[in-house]
């Protein structure tokens, strides 16, 4: 995230740390762990109005671009879909993370000089597959004897 903030001329280490501290919600924050990386990253998904807000989605640079972020995001979105909850987030303008969010269904709501505000409507849950009819079922024709 630092590189993106520097690119925008907005990096201030104190402000970044303060923003994380101010928005930190232990009850809604998860640590992301992988084999060999006990602290691969973190993510916050907290209630926000009629839906959920995704914040502080941070992955170790060494693990980015390998599908871990996609897997974590899909897991979180499946839970949001089960609750029929839209998910909102902010992503820095020009951040490569925006492509991930767009692939997973997020669309731009608004933007300012620094951030793009995005939302993803809940996806309908797939219907369960129809039960297969058994030979003894009344719906199955019975061959004559």
């Amino acid at each position: 995230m630092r590189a993106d903030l520097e690119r925008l001329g907005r990096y201030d280490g104190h402000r970044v740390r303060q923003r994380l501290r101010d928005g930190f919600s232990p009850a809604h924050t998860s640590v992301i762990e992988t084999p060999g990386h006990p602290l691969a990253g973190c993510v916050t998904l907290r209630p926000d109005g009629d839906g959920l807000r995704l914040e502080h989605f941070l992955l170790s640079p060494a693990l980015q671009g390998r599908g871990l972020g996609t897997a974590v995001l899909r897991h979180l979105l499946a839970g949001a879909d089960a609750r029929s909850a839209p998910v909102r987030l902010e992503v820095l303008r020009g951040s490569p993370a925006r492509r991930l969010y767009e692939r997973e269904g997020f669309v731009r709501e608004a933007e300012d000089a620094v951030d793009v505000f995005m939302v993803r409507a809940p996806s309908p849950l797939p219907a369960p597959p129809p039960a297969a009819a058994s030979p003894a079922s009344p719906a199955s024709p019975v061959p004559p004897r």
Side-chain angles (χ1 to χ4, degrees):
M1 193 166 97
R2 180 178 181 156
D4 287 329
L5 286 168
E6 287 174 340
R7 177 182 44 77
L8 294 169
R10 306 288 277 201
Y11 182 75
D12 174 341
H14 174 74
R15 185 170 180 261
V16 169
R17 286 185 294 279
Q18 190 63 47
R19 184 176 181 205
L20 182 60
R21 275 193 293 268
D22 290 348
F24 183 64
S25 173
H28 301 105
T29 300
S30 299
V31 171
I32 301 166
E33 298 177 322
T34 63
H37 295 89
L39 182 55
C42 65
V43 62
T44 299
L45 187 64
R46 66 174 175 81
D48 183 41
D50 68 338
L52 300 166
R53 180 155 302 270
L54 180 70
E55 300 174 310
H56 312 301
F57 190 7
L58 306 169
L59 285 179
S60 167
L63 298 173
Q64 293 176 9
R66 298 179 177 192
L68 177 60
T70 299
V72 170
L73 183 58
R74 286 180 179 168
H75 174 76
L76 295 171
L77 294 176
D81 290 344
R83 296 169 60 176
S84 296
V87 179
R88 289 183 170 76
L89 60 81
E90 299 168 26
V91 63
L92 289 170
R93 290 181 69 170
S95 170
R98 182 174 176 178
R99 288 190 305 273
L100 165 64
Y101 299 134
E102 288 172 339
R103 277 194 317 266
E104 297 305 319
F106 284 86
V107 296
R108 179 189 159 282
E109 275 191 306
E111 63 185 273
D112 62 21
V114 177
D115 293 309
V116 178
F117 302 88
M118 303 183 82
V119 64
R120 179 188 173 274
S123 292
L125 296 175
S134 67
S137 135
S140 299
V142 178
R145 293 184 190 218

